[in-house]
Amino acid sequence: MAASTVIPINVVHIDDVQELRKTKPTTIPERFFRDVTERPTTLDSTTTTLSSPHTDIPIIDLSKLVNGNPDDFQSEILNLTTACQEWGFFQVVNHGIDLSLLESIEKVAKDFFMLPIEEKQKYPMAPGTVQGYGLAFIFSENQKLDWCNMFALGIEPDFIRRPELWPSKPADFNETLESYSREVRKLCQKLLKYIAVSVGLKEDVFEEMFGVAVQAVRMNYYPPCSRSDLVMGLSSHSDGSAITVLQQDKGSYVGLQILNDNTWVSVQPILNALVINIGDSIEVLTNGKYKSVRSTGQ
């Protein structure tokens, strides 16, 4: 029997950026400073307002795929193909999720982050895990940190759930998240079907491959920073999932950026749209035809 080696996970101190903002509004610990080479320079101003037009990121009208006539369907499938091949990101409109539910999930998320730190720390993200309140994948005291607070929960299948991490406050948090997650899962199933069709595969091929797909939710809160030019809200990364559904804050600040043709492009929020990110799994299953690209948050 081979000997096994246990590699300990160090428990390191991580400053809570909301608390830093409250107690030391002009102080930024060095661990949050990012080298200029890490901070993306974008085509678009990160202070773009909602009224400014943004036509680069593809927009997919799901209603044309679900209920459209044959011509509309074929046209939108071609748009979807282009979006997945050339961008790896698109915004989906007429997605079928009730707009009041989008507002509700945004509200309970904000309400959670506004709770006292003592309440949020009842649901800690343990070292080496990715569920709970905190920052994931922190293994060293010297590791650079994102200017972000995060709360993550596993949704499906049931065995990945950690019921002790589901908060009791806000009172409607759990019910809202359950409803939201169900609707997002339905949306993902539809999108995966049409992505399969767009690449010339049978519509249920991804469902057969994935089986009971893993679903998780991650909520990010980015407090204002006195030196936003020196920090990053979310490190550059690509997603290992099949697809990721992103709901952007409807404020005037554009934080999400994606890498397209070696240039960082800001994703201007579109009212009532959701942002879809093609993940590494789809890139692999389409033999690289569809792209999983890097994104970041400022």
Side-chain angles (χ1 to χ4, degrees), residues 40-46 48 54-58 86-87 89 248 254-268 293-298:
T41 301
T42 64
L43 284 174
D44 310 295
S45 169
T46 55
T48 303
H54 190 285
T55 57
D56 288 333
I57 307 299
E86 298 182 5
W87 286 89
F89 267 81
Q248 295 195 85
V254 181
L256 176 63
Q257 297 157 355
I258 66 172
L259 191 62
N260 181 259
D261 288 336
N262 295 315
T263 301
W264 288 101
V265 180
S266 294
V267 180
Q268 174 68 50
V293 301
R294 301 190 72 79
S295 64
T296 185
Q298 286 289 82

Coordinates of all heavy atoms in Angstrom, one line a residue, residues 40-46 48 54-58 86-87 89 248 254-268 293-298:
P40 N -6.1 45.5 -16.8 CA -6.4 45.6 -18.2 C -6.6 47.1 -18.6 O -7.2 47.9 -17.8 CB -7.7 44.8 -18.3 CG -8.3 44.9 -17.0 CD -7.2 44.9 -16.0
T41 N -6.2 47.4 -19.8 CA -6.5 48.7 -20.5 C -7.6 48.4 -21.5 O -7.4 47.5 -22.4 CB -5.3 49.3 -21.1 OG1 -4.3 49.5 -20.1 CG2 -5.6 50.6 -21.8
T42 N -8.7 49.1 -21.4 CA -9.8 48.7 -22.3 C -10.0 49.7 -23.4 O -9.5 50.8 -23.4 CB -11.1 48.7 -21.5 OG1 -11.4 50.0 -21.0 CG2 -11.0 47.7 -20.3
L43 N -10.8 49.2 -24.4 CA -11.2 50.1 -25.5 C -12.2 51.2 -25.0 O -12.3 52.3 -25.5 CB -11.9 49.3 -26.6 CG -11.0 48.5 -27.5 CD1 -11.9 47.6 -28.4 CD2 -10.1 49.4 -28.3
D44 N -13.0 50.8 -24.0 CA -14.1 51.6 -23.5 C -13.8 52.2 -22.2 O -13.1 51.6 -21.4 CB -15.4 50.8 -23.5 CG -15.6 50.0 -24.7 OD1 -15.9 50.7 -25.8 OD2 -15.6 48.8 -24.7
S45 N -14.4 53.4 -21.9 CA -14.2 54.0 -20.6 C -15.0 53.1 -19.5 O -16.1 52.7 -19.8 CB -14.8 55.4 -20.6 OG -14.9 55.9 -19.3
T46 N -14.3 52.9 -18.4 CA -15.0 52.2 -17.3 C -16.0 53.1 -16.6 O -16.6 52.6 -15.6 CB -14.0 51.6 -16.3 OG1 -13.2 52.6 -15.8 CG2 -13.1 50.5 -17.0
T48 N -18.4 54.6 -18.5 CA -19.5 54.7 -19.5 C -20.8 54.6 -18.8 O -21.1 53.8 -17.9 CB -19.4 53.5 -20.5 OG1 -18.1 53.6 -21.1 CG2 -20.4 53.7 -21.6
H54 N -23.4 50.7 -26.9 CA -22.4 49.7 -27.0 C -22.8 48.6 -27.9 O -23.7 47.9 -27.5 CB -22.0 49.2 -25.6 CG -20.8 48.4 -25.5 ND1 -20.7 47.1 -26.0 CD2 -19.5 48.7 -25.1 CE1 -19.5 46.7 -25.9 NE2 -18.8 47.6 -25.4
T55 N -22.2 48.5 -29.1 CA -22.7 47.6 -30.1 C -21.8 46.4 -30.3 O -22.1 45.6 -31.2 CB -23.0 48.3 -31.4 OG1 -21.7 49.0 -31.8 CG2 -24.0 49.4 -31.2
D56 N -20.6 46.4 -29.7 CA -19.6 45.3 -30.0 C -20.0 44.0 -29.5 O -19.9 43.0 -30.2 CB -18.3 45.7 -29.5 CG -17.6 46.9 -30.2 OD1 -18.0 47.0 -31.4 OD2 -16.8 47.6 -29.6
I57 N -20.4 43.9 -28.2 CA -20.8 42.6 -27.6 C -22.0 42.0 -28.3 O -23.1 42.7 -28.4 CB -21.0 42.7 -26.1 CG1 -19.8 43.4 -25.5 CG2 -21.3 41.3 -25.5 CD1 -18.5 42.7 -25.6
P58 N -22.0 40.8 -28.8 CA -23.2 40.3 -29.5 C -24.4 40.2 -28.6 O -24.3 40.0 -27.4 CB -22.8 38.9 -30.0 CG -21.3 38.9 -30.0 CD -20.9 39.9 -28.9
E86 N -16.4 34.0 -32.1 CA -15.6 35.2 -32.2 C -15.4 35.9 -30.8 O -14.5 36.7 -30.6 CB -16.1 36.2 -33.2 CG -16.1 35.6 -34.6 CD -16.6 36.6 -35.7 OE1 -16.9 37.8 -35.3 OE2 -16.7 36.2 -36.8
W87 N -16.4 35.7 -29.9 CA -16.4 36.4 -28.7 C -16.3 35.5 -27.4 O -15.6 35.8 -26.5 CB -17.6 37.3 -28.5 CG -17.6 38.5 -29.4 CD1 -18.0 38.6 -30.7 CD2 -17.1 39.8 -29.0 NE1 -17.8 39.9 -31.2 CE2 -17.2 40.6 -30.2 CE3 -16.5 40.3 -27.9 CZ2 -16.8 41.9 -30.2 CZ3 -16.2 41.6 -27.9 CH2 -16.3 42.4 -29.0
F89 N -18.6 35.3 -25.5 CA -19.6 36.0 -24.6 C -20.7 36.6 -25.5 O -20.5 36.9 -26.7 CB -18.9 37.2 -24.0 CG -18.3 37.0 -22.6 CD1 -17.1 36.4 -22.5 CD2 -19.0 37.4 -21.5 CE1 -16.5 36.2 -21.2 CE2 -18.4 37.2 -20.2 CZ -17.2 36.6 -20.1
Q248 N -25.4 41.6 -14.3 CA -24.6 42.8 -13.9 C -25.5 43.8 -13.1 O -26.7 43.9 -13.3 CB -24.1 43.5 -15.1 CG -23.1 42.8 -16.0 CD -22.4 43.6 -16.9 OE1 -21.4 44.3 -16.6 NE2 -22.8 43.7 -18.2
V254 N -19.3 50.5 -15.3 CA -19.1 49.2 -16.1 C -17.9 48.5 -15.6 O -16.7 49.0 -15.7 CB -18.9 49.6 -17.6 CG1 -18.7 48.3 -18.4 CG2 -20.1 50.4 -18.1
G255 N -18.1 47.4 -14.9 CA -17.0 46.7 -14.3 C -16.5 45.4 -15.1 O -15.3 45.1 -15.0
L256 N -17.4 44.7 -15.8 CA -17.1 43.5 -16.5 C -16.3 43.8 -17.7 O -16.7 44.6 -18.6 CB -18.3 42.7 -16.8 CG -18.1 41.4 -17.6 CD1 -17.3 40.4 -16.8 CD2 -19.5 40.8 -18.0
Q257 N -15.2 43.1 -17.9 CA -14.4 43.3 -19.1 C -14.0 41.9 -19.6 O -13.7 41.0 -18.9 CB -13.1 44.1 -18.8 CG -13.4 45.5 -18.4 CD -12.3 46.1 -17.6 OE1 -11.3 45.5 -17.3 NE2 -12.5 47.4 -17.2
I258 N -13.9 41.8 -21.0 CA -13.6 40.5 -21.6 C -12.5 40.7 -22.6 O -12.3 41.8 -23.1 CB -14.8 39.8 -22.3 CG1 -15.3 40.7 -23.5 CG2 -15.9 39.6 -21.3 CD1 -16.3 40.0 -24.3
L259 N -11.7 39.7 -22.8 CA -10.5 39.8 -23.7 C -11.0 39.3 -25.1 O -11.4 38.2 -25.3 CB -9.4 38.9 -23.2 CG -8.0 39.1 -23.9 CD1 -7.5 40.5 -23.7 CD2 -7.0 38.1 -23.3
N260 N -10.9 40.2 -26.1 CA -11.3 39.9 -27.4 C -10.2 40.4 -28.4 O -9.9 41.6 -28.4 CB -12.6 40.6 -27.8 CG -13.1 40.2 -29.2 OD1 -12.9 41.1 -30.1 ND2 -13.6 39.1 -29.4
D261 N -9.6 39.5 -29.2 CA -8.5 39.9 -30.1 C -7.4 40.6 -29.3 O -6.9 41.7 -29.8 CB -9.0 40.8 -31.2 CG -9.9 40.0 -32.2 OD1 -9.7 38.7 -32.3 OD2 -10.7 40.6 -32.9
N262 N -7.0 40.1 -28.2 CA -6.0 40.6 -27.3 C -6.2 42.0 -26.8 O -5.3 42.8 -26.4 CB -4.6 40.6 -28.1 CG -4.2 39.2 -28.4 OD1 -4.2 38.3 -27.6 ND2 -3.8 39.0 -29.7
T263 N -7.5 42.5 -26.8 CA -7.8 43.8 -26.3 C -9.0 43.6 -25.3 O -9.9 42.8 -25.5 CB -8.3 44.7 -27.4 OG1 -7.3 44.8 -28.4 CG2 -8.7 46.1 -26.9
W264 N -8.8 44.3 -24.1 CA -9.9 44.2 -23.1 C -11.0 45.1 -23.5 O -10.8 46.3 -23.8 CB -9.3 44.6 -21.7 CG -8.5 43.6 -21.2 CD1 -7.1 43.6 -21.1 CD2 -8.9 42.4 -20.5 NE1 -6.6 42.4 -20.5 CE2 -7.7 41.7 -20.1 CE3 -10.1 41.8 -20.2 CZ2 -7.7 40.4 -19.5 CZ3 -10.1 40.6 -19.6 CH2 -9.0 39.9 -19.2
V265 N -12.2 44.6 -23.5 CA -13.4 45.3 -23.9 C -14.4 45.3 -22.8 O -14.7 44.3 -22.2 CB -14.1 44.7 -25.2 CG1 -15.4 45.4 -25.6 CG2 -13.1 44.6 -26.3
S266 N -14.9 46.5 -22.4 CA -15.9 46.6 -21.3 C -17.3 46.2 -21.9 O -17.7 46.5 -23.0 CB -16.0 48.1 -20.9 OG -14.8 48.5 -20.2
V267 N -18.0 45.5 -21.0 CA -19.3 45.0 -21.4 C -20.4 45.9 -20.8 O -20.6 45.9 -19.6 CB -19.5 43.5 -20.8 CG1 -20.9 43.0 -21.2 CG2 -18.5 42.6 -21.4
Q268 N -20.9 46.7 -21.6 CA -21.9 47.7 -21.2 C -23.2 47.0 -20.8 O -23.8 46.2 -21.6 CB -22.2 48.7 -22.3 CG -23.4 49.7 -22.1 CD -23.0 50.6 -21.0 OE1 -22.0 51.3 -21.0 NE2 -23.9 50.8 -20.0
V293 N -13.1 32.6 -23.2 CA -12.2 33.7 -23.1 C -12.0 34.2 -21.7 O -12.8 33.9 -20.8 CB -12.6 34.9 -24.0 CG1 -12.7 34.4 -25.5 CG2 -14.0 35.4 -23.6
R294 N -11.0 35.0 -21.5 CA -10.7 35.5 -20.2 C -11.6 36.7 -19.9 O -11.9 37.5 -20.8 CB -9.2 35.8 -20.0 CG -8.3 34.6 -20.3 CD -6.9 34.9 -19.9 NE -6.7 35.0 -18.4 CZ -6.6 34.0 -17.6 NH1 -6.7 32.8 -18.1 NH2 -6.5 34.2 -16.3
S295 N -11.9 36.9 -18.6 CA -12.7 38.1 -18.2 C -12.1 38.5 -16.9 O -11.4 37.8 -16.2 CB -14.2 37.7 -18.1 OG -14.4 36.8 -17.1
T296 N -12.5 39.8 -16.5 CA -12.0 40.3 -15.3 C -13.1 41.4 -14.8 O -14.0 41.7 -15.5 CB -10.7 41.0 -15.5 OG1 -10.2 41.5 -14.2 CG2 -10.7 42.2 -16.4
G297 N -12.9 41.8 -13.6 CA -13.8 42.9 -13.0 C -13.0 44.0 -12.5 O -11.9 43.7 -11.8
Q298 N -13.4 45.2 -12.7 CA -12.7 46.4 -12.2 C -13.5 47.1 -11.1 O -14.7 47.0 -11.1 CB -12.4 47.4 -13.3 CG -11.3 46.9 -14.3 CD -9.9 46.9 -13.6 OE1 -9.5 46.1 -12.9 NE2 -9.2 48.0 -13.9

